[in-house]
Each structure stands twice: as structure tokens, then as C-alpha cells.
Amino acid sequence: MSEQISVLVVDDEPVIRAGLSAILASQADLAVAGTANDGEEAVDACARLRPDVLLLDIRMPRRDGLWALAELGRRGLLGPGRSRALMLTTFDLDEYVDDALAAGASGFLLKNSSYEELTGAVRAAAAGHSALSPGVTRRIIEGHLSSRRRPSDQELARLEDLTERERDVLRLVGGGLSNAEIADRLVVSLHTVKTHVSRMLMKTGCHSRAQAAVLARNTLS
């Protein structure tokens, strides 16, 4: 990207906010748009600043990260062409991982991640990719997000407008494949895959590839 990626840092602990902000500000292609200390402030700041990426802590007093994520989605502030949400957590087995991904989070980042992991995850989220710690990725691939329950009518309705090829792409996204891997699997160009992914996300109402993976696991497995 030629322009800087703007980031809103949301955490109730001042030291963590300051530390994350300092790391981001040290990168030429990243810029801290602002900070917030709870979910309510985060939503207000996102509506005002329209950052490319939110670093959003899950566990905060008053209004937590899950509340903020849902409110951002309700206000149409989340998704392609808008802001991407990267959730911050202390544990990779946080009980809120599934709910956050289903609500449209672009990924998860552990608070003890390295500088490289942090900045790489922000760049990946800004580019529309999933940014997940290895532990969380394994859980998706192994089907942890789906207990093999019957899909709801609402979930199935989200697939109605998909073409067969778009369903294939959704299924492969659910399997954790990258665009390049999907192109190889379907024997099509990378540009074609990007077009299919974009249309699939739009038709299903998914804000991110991670959310699409959850939908695929619940409906196409």
C-alpha cells in the first residue's frame, strides 16, 4: 500500500495502549489514528476517524470488545471498504473466539505476540486477509467452530444467491485456503478468485474471510 494504514487502538489498560501505539508508530506504513479505553469509545472513535484497522481488546469494563464488534456491524462500519477489526486477547483459547469471528472479526492477536506478528497481522487485516494466531487457525481447520449442528434457516438463506463456483470458493475459504491455493485448486487465475471471494463476501453479508470460514463450517461441511 502506498498510503499509511490507520489503526485505532482499543484497550482498557493505559500501558498496553501506549505500548501498542508505540510499536505501530515505529513503522513507516502504519499510523495510530487514535485510542479508546472501552467498547463504547471505540465505536464512537471508529465512526469519527474511520480507521483501516481496529486493534480491539475483548475483555474491557462497561462495554467490551464483543459489544463493540456487534455495534460496528450494526452501524455498517465493519467490512470491505470500511474498518477491519483485529481482536486482542490474552489467551488463544479465549471462550469468545468463536463469537468474535462469527460477528466479523478479521482475526485474533495474542497480547504477547512479537512486534513482527503484531505489525504483520495489522497489514494482513487491512488487506482483507484473515489474521489468526496458529492456535486459533488450527481450531478453525479442525472444525472447532462448528459442533456439527444443523445450520439455521438464517445461515442457509445467506447462501441462496451464491453461484456454484462461489459456493466452491466459500467451502475452500472454510478450509483455510489462501487465494493462491484456491486458484490452484480450481485451476483459475488469481484475479478470478479475488473476484469470486469479493462477490461471495458481499452476497453472504460476511465482513471478513474469517467470518466466511465460520459460515462455511456451519453450512457446507
Side-chain angles (χ1 to χ4, degrees), residues 116-170:
E116 292 77 12
E117 288 170 334
L118 168 63
T119 55
V122 169
R123 294 182 182 108
H129 304 311
S130 297
L132 299 167
S133 72
V136 175
T137 301
R138 284 195 297 272
R139 292 174 64 195
I140 294 177
I141 302 305
E142 292 168 1
H144 178 86
L145 296 179
S146 173
S147 57
R148 298 296 181 259
R149 61 173 172 77
R150 293 178 62 85
S152 68
D153 291 340
Q154 291 84 352
E155 287 173 325
L156 293 174
R158 295 168 70 179
L159 307 186
E160 289 180 354
D161 293 335
L162 296 180
T163 65
E164 284 303 313
R165 180 46 59 92
E166 288 164 354
R167 282 175 179 259
D168 291 339
V169 169
L170 175 60

Side-chain angles (χ1 to χ4, degrees), residues 105-122:
S106 291
F108 265 75
L109 189 68
L110 300 183
K111 289 187 178 181
N112 64 353
S113 297
S114 68
Y115 287 16
E116 292 77 12
E117 288 170 334
L118 168 63
T119 55
V122 169

